[in-house]
Amino acid sequence: MRRGHSSGNYRNPCLTMHQPWASLLVYGIKRIEGRTWAAPIRGRLWVHAASKVPDEATIKAMEDFYREIYAVDGITDLKFPEHYPVSRLLGCVEVVGCVRREELACWEMVPEGVRLEAQTDLCWLCEQPQKLLIPFEMRGYQGVYNLEKKIYEAAIRGLTPVEGPLPVKFLLPNPQDPFSLKPGSISANVPETRTSELERSSSLTAAIAGARAAATQFSKKVQDFETTPQTNTAQSVRRLPLKSESFEEDTTPSANLSETSNKGALTSNNKEKISPIKYEGITSPSQPSSGGLRPHPGAPSKIFAAAVRALKPS
């Protein structure tokens, strides 16, 4: 990897995102991944598309947004992906830093179109997109997780570089420290309103509003939560809040909850069984595998006990 390496327990970190945001990132059109939480890694981040099929209105809104912000920098011949596949591992990007929205909005060393992508609290800075020649079918998980070894070994051989319409380099404040480009590292003396005060066309304003509306349809349905780190399995490494596209806003108060307390909150809120939990096309087990049998929360304990006693080894 060009800058540093993944930190903590992340070996081959991957992020599941909704379409069309996932493909736009892998194709180098999207350079900023907007989140409400700071990037936990530096280096290669694999990008997986969730199973929700994007509707035409959402695709149009996001393509219009990128047409307009690239036009600000004189790029008018954008070529968008022909397809937006779902439930697929698409490729990867290099996460080189993470800054606050107001920092990116006034960072004069990057193109103005990149600054216009600053629409969320925190902005992950992405470079060097690569796509898979043949996207792999796989399921996704919440937050940042590790790819299974066999998937990683196959995917790493199928990557091809992508030349985005306007590649950008985000300079590290300290080239010796891959984590130096972090929130607060860029002087943000220029008021946040500076970008909004720039002369904008009505089409650009409408495109920004449309992109925000497209992303909001997901952010209202996804709850933020962080679970206790676990390191025994590739799919139970620290779960971070799932945010599947840019322009999202927090919908729940911030809190550090354990895996158990989060399950309890979900059960009381939804008033329904919680196995499995689905997050906008992403299905994950709600209970850790224990190797034993557990009754459904609503099953009478006597019936369950009788059923267990009646089981015979196969």
Side-chain angles (χ1 to χ4, degrees), residues 132-208:
L132 286 171
L133 295 175
I134 302 177
F136 291 2
E137 183 174 4
M138 60 170 274
R139 69 182 293 186
Y141 297 88
Q142 303 166 55
V144 177
Y145 55 92
N146 282 325
L147 283 181
E148 294 179 10
K149 183 179 179 181
K150 62 181 181 181
I151 294 178
Y152 167 77
E153 290 175 346
I156 198 68
R157 296 192 295 267
L159 288 173
T160 183
V162 174
E163 184 70 21
L166 184 61
V168 61
K169 296 293 183 183
F170 300 98
L171 299 179
L172 291 170
N174 178 4
Q176 304 303 316
D177 179 8
F179 277 84
S180 63
L181 195 53
K182 55 191 176 183
S185 63
I186 299 174
S187 176
N189 296 324
V190 181
E192 182 180 358
T193 56
R194 179 185 184 279
T195 300
S196 62
E197 291 172 354
L198 295 175
E199 184 177 353
R200 295 180 180 177
S201 66
S202 59
S203 58
L204 174 58
T205 301
I208 292 174

Side-chain angles (χ1 to χ4, degrees), residues 273-292:
K273 63 182 181 180
I274 58 173
S275 179
I277 299 175
K278 299 191 75 175
Y279 291 90
E280 291 301 322
I282 306 166
T283 306
S284 62
S286 62
Q287 299 278 0
S289 176
S290 61

Side-chain angles (χ1 to χ4, degrees), residues 54-274:
D55 56 60
E56 290 299 323
T58 298
I59 293 174
K60 183 180 184 303
M62 295 313 303
E63 290 184 351
D64 286 348
F65 170 72
Y66 282 102
R67 283 192 190 93
E68 292 294 333
I69 66 171
Y70 272 92
V72 170
D73 293 315
I75 307 296
T76 58
D77 58 346
L78 285 186
K79 292 180 174 60
F80 293 100
E82 293 183 7
H83 306 287
Y84 292 95
V86 297
S87 298
R88 296 290 191 277
L89 183 66
L90 302 180
C92 63
V93 294
E94 292 281 320
V95 177
V96 300
C98 177
V99 298
R100 296 195 303 266
R101 172 177 54 194
E102 59 270 20
E103 293 180 284
L104 180 57
C106 68
W107 194 3
E108 296 184 352
M109 294 181 66
V110 299
E112 186 177 334
V114 176
R115 285 178 265 157
L116 288 170
E117 288 191 67
Q119 301 290 335
T120 50
D121 293 343
L122 291 164
C123 303
W124 299 16
L125 312 178
C126 301
E127 298 179 0
Q128 298 188 19
Q130 298 183 76
K131 67 177 181 179
L132 286 171
L133 295 175
I134 302 177
F136 291 2
E137 183 174 4
M138 60 170 274
R139 69 182 293 186
Y141 297 88
Q142 303 166 55
V144 177
Y145 55 92
N146 282 325
L147 283 181
E148 294 179 10
K149 183 179 179 181
K150 62 181 181 181
I151 294 178
Y152 167 77
E153 290 175 346
I156 198 68
R157 296 192 295 267
L159 288 173
T160 183
V162 174
E163 184 70 21
L166 184 61
V168 61
K169 296 293 183 183
F170 300 98
L171 299 179
L172 291 170
N174 178 4
Q176 304 303 316
D177 179 8
F179 277 84
S180 63
L181 195 53
K182 55 191 176 183
S185 63
I186 299 174
S187 176
N189 296 324
V190 181
E192 182 180 358
T193 56
R194 179 185 184 279
T195 300
S196 62
E197 291 172 354
L198 295 175
E199 184 177 353
R200 295 180 180 177
S201 66
S202 59
S203 58
L204 174 58
T205 301
I208 292 174
R212 286 175 174 170
T216 301
Q217 64 179 305
F218 297 108
S219 62
K220 289 181 178 179
K221 299 177 182 178
V222 181
Q223 288 187 327
D224 282 356
F225 65 90
E226 179 174 344
T227 59
T228 303
Q230 300 178 21
T231 58
N232 293 332
T233 65
Q235 295 169 353
S236 61
V237 177
R238 190 183 182 195
R239 297 284 184 250
L240 291 172
L242 168 64
K243 289 294 181 184
S244 302
E245 63 286 316
S246 293
F247 313 145
E248 292 186 324
E249 298 178 354
D250 282 320
T251 56
T252 58
S254 60
N256 293 320
L257 304 175
S258 67
E259 183 177 6
T260 302
S261 63
N262 276 304
K263 290 172 191 165
L266 287 169
T267 305
S268 60
N269 289 338
N270 296 333
K271 305 292 185 181
E272 59 186 20
K273 63 182 181 180
I274 58 173

